Structure formats: structure tokens, C-alpha cells
Amino acid sequence: MKVSQMVDALSLKVLAGERFLDREAESGYCCDLLSRVMAKGKKGMAWITVQTHMNIVAVAALVEMACVIIPEGIEVDRKVLDKAEEEGIIVLSSDLTAFELAGKLYQMGITPVCEAVD
Amino acid sequence: MKDGYYSIEQVFRIKAWDFASAGEASSQIKKILKQLGIDPALTRRVTIAAYEAEMNLIIHSVGGEMRLKVTPQSIIVTAEDRGPGIPDIALAMQEGYSTAPEIARELGFGAGMGLPNIKRCADRLNIQSSVGKGTLLEMYFDIKAG
Ligand SMILES: Nc1ncnc2c1ncn2[C@@H]1O[C@H](COP(=O)(O)OP(=O)(O)O)[C@@H](O)[C@H]1O
Ligand SMILES: [Mg+2]
């Protein structure tokens, strides 16, 4: 589904990458350990994390993620959002917890990333 | 041979604790491989390995250099630093083993999966380290004829 459909269905706030909302999101993953995310990460996945520092942009860009979703209304630094904008990374935010977000996305048909590296 | 044996060679300087530009060398490497038309799945493996090596230089070393070499047959990424070195490489290679400081862990680093990820991604991996001197990581990736 398109990221814009997720944004509408879950009333997500778009913090960065507004102009890319047409992008397709296929799978989802929820994790705050970056090496784990790099290992499991899939192109086109939606990533839910409480990490909000600069490196999440690098990770999302390297893996070519569909979007990053920050739960629990956690604020993200302007500098990080500017970088995300520059790299074409969509950053979304929600007041829901990671658990609720994942549950709702799962119900909408976003599939879990599988185990393989490639 | 005056122009060098490798088709491409690029050097990136990596500073210790420079989290603001962390991942920049890896994204440059990714961009170059994309431009060269390298297979996306291979580019992905190189990118993941390069990212983990870059983060290790930033978090664990006093700083160093990464190097990308591309030949028609292979991609070689090296990460070389000037210390502190790895006392026990076999232990460092174990999944879950990490000496990352608490501040790095709070940022989501230090899962102890970097070196195992690199090993899984690279076709061949060579690590040389000497305590007090530094570490050299050489990652080899084969380009299979399409
Ligand atoms: N360049 C390096 N210099 C010194 N020690 C290193 C270096 N790279 C890795 N190490 C050591 O190996 C351990 C495991 O590395 P890694 O698997 O990448 O996990 P992590 O980076 O999450 O700790 C590190 O915690 C550190 O002790
Ligand atoms: Mg590491």
C-alpha cells in the first residue's frame, strides 16, 4: 500500500518527506537496535523505532525503506528532519505506542519482514 | 598500469565519535556502486558491511580510513584504524559480544552484530588487529558474470 494510505488510516503526522508519500510500503519491522535493523531490513519496509538521532536517516536510506515511524509522540530534532528531507526519507510520527502501530499496520496488510539478509 | 590496477579506488576518512556524519562513507559507497550498475543485491551486501565497518571505526576506534576498490571481478572494502586494536578477534566475532559504551547503546548501537553481519555479507573477510596499533578489516565481494 502507499505510505499516504497508512498516514490517512492511522492519522500519522508527516515530519519529513511529504512529497514522497506516494511510495509503496510492503513490509514492516519494529526494532531499536540498528545492527539488527541493518541485517533484517528490506527495501520498501516501514520501520517503527524510538530512536530519533541522525543515524536513523542513514540506516533508512541505506536500506531504502518506505518510511520511518516514530511512536509515542517522541519529538525529532529539526536537523534530523532536514537530513531526512535531503535524503528522501519519510519520517512519520504518532502518539500511539510501537505495539499499537505495528498491530494496526499488520491488520492493514503490511507483512512482517522475513529473516533472510538479501 | 600507471593509472593503477583498480578501475576505481576511493578513500573516506572516518572520525571517532562523529555520529553526525555517521553512515556517510557507506552511502557514498552505495551511490558509486549504483552508478557502476552493480547488481542491487550485491550492492546491498556491500552497503550493510560497509555501514557496520564504518560504525565500528566511529564507536570503537580512534579513527581511520575506509577504502573502496572496484575491479571488473570484485569489490573490496577495507576499514583501517590506528587503534586501540581488538585483543580477541574470535570473541569479537561472536554475535552479541560488544564493548560499546552505555551512551552508544542508548542510541541503538552495540548489539554485537556488526562483525557477524559483515561476515555474512562478504564473500571473504580478513581481519588483522594488534592491540595498541590498530585494526585492518578487508571485505571481498565477487562480481559474478551476468
Ligand atoms: N575497529 C575496531 N577497533 C577496536 N575494537 C573493535 C573494532 N571493531 C570491533 N571491535 C570490537 O569488537 C566488538 C564487536 O563488534 P561488533 O560485532 O561490530 O559489535 P558492536 O559494534 O555492536 O559492539 C566491539 O564491541 C569491539 O569490542
Ligand atoms: Mg559494530
Side-chain angles (χ1 to χ4, degrees):
Chain A
M1 88 188 56
K2 288 192 193 308
V3 174
S4 58
Q5 288 172 271
M6 286 169 28
V7 168
D8 292 341
L10 304 185
S11 309
L12 304 174
K13 210 154 101 190
V14 181
L15 303 183
E18 180 104 52
R19 68 215 146 98
F20 302 108
L21 290 182
D22 254 3
R23 190 177 290 161
E24 286 289 326
E26 284 135 31
S27 58
Y29 192 54
C30 184
C31 183
D32 304 316
L33 291 176
L34 303 180
S35 287
R36 201 163 265 285
V37 176
M38 283 307 281
K40 295 265 174 94
K42 281 277 181 318
K43 184 176 177 173
M45 87 177 190
W47 176 31
I48 306 174
T49 178
V50 297
Q51 300 293 355
T52 57
H53 55 83
M54 198 54 102
N55 214 238
I56 62 167
V57 178
V59 169
L62 290 173
V63 175
E64 297 180 30
M65 291 184 190
C67 62
V68 183
I69 312 176
I70 312 293
E72 300 187 42
I74 300 166
E75 281 186 28
V76 185
D77 230 52
R78 189 69 251 165
K79 268 192 277 184
V80 173
L81 296 177
D82 288 345
K83 180 77 180 168
E85 206 68 62
E86 193 187 310
E87 296 282 330
I89 301 301
I90 302 172
V91 182
L92 308 169
S93 122
S94 168
D95 288 333
L96 299 178
T97 63
F99 178 79
E100 292 170 288
L101 284 167
K104 283 174 194 278
L105 290 177
Y106 188 87
Q107 275 181 336
M108 285 174 69
I110 296 285
T111 58
V113 291
C114 62
E115 305 285 317
V117 173
D118 290 323
Chain B
M1 294 299 271
K2 196 165 177 290
D3 292 321
Y5 168 76
Y6 293 105
S7 325
I8 278 204
E9 176 155 359
Q10 190 102 15
V11 183
F12 308 92
R13 257 170 241 309
I14 314 292
K15 276 191 265 169
W17 289 101
D18 184 9
F19 282 101
S21 42
E24 247 156 56
S26 330
S27 31
Q28 283 303 317
I29 288 173
K30 182 182 176 188
K31 263 179 213 145
I32 293 169
L33 297 181
K34 254 191 163 167
Q35 278 165 9
L36 290 174
I38 303 290
D39 166 64
L42 175 56
T43 299
R44 194 176 182 74
R45 281 197 285 130
V46 179
T47 303
I48 293 171
Y51 170 82
E52 293 291 1
E54 182 178 1
M55 291 319 302
N56 279 357
L57 288 191
I58 291 171
I59 295 170
H60 305 295
S61 90
V62 299
E65 261 176 23
M66 286 186 71
R67 211 171 276 266
L68 169 71
K69 296 173 191 170
V70 184
T71 76
Q73 295 81 30
S74 62
I75 299 166
I76 305 161
V77 180
T78 61
E80 188 167 18
D81 63 58
R82 298 176 297 278
I86 303 175
D88 185 340
I89 293 176
L91 184 61
M93 289 302 300
Q94 276 179 28
E95 186 149 332
Y97 176 82
S98 175
T99 59
E102 190 53 38
I103 30 168
R105 283 172 202 261
E106 277 167 15
L107 299 175
F109 302 104
M113 292 177 68
L115 292 173
N117 276 355
I118 291 171
K119 182 146 197 256
R120 203 161 40 223
C121 288
D123 289 310
R124 280 175 310 287
L125 171 64
N126 175 27
I127 307 181
Q128 288 167 37
S129 190
S130 107
V131 174
K133 291 218 177 90
T135 302
L136 171 65
L137 202 71
E138 294 173 312
M139 301 166 266
Y140 297 87
F141 303 84
D142 301 323
I143 298 176
K144 303 206 173 59

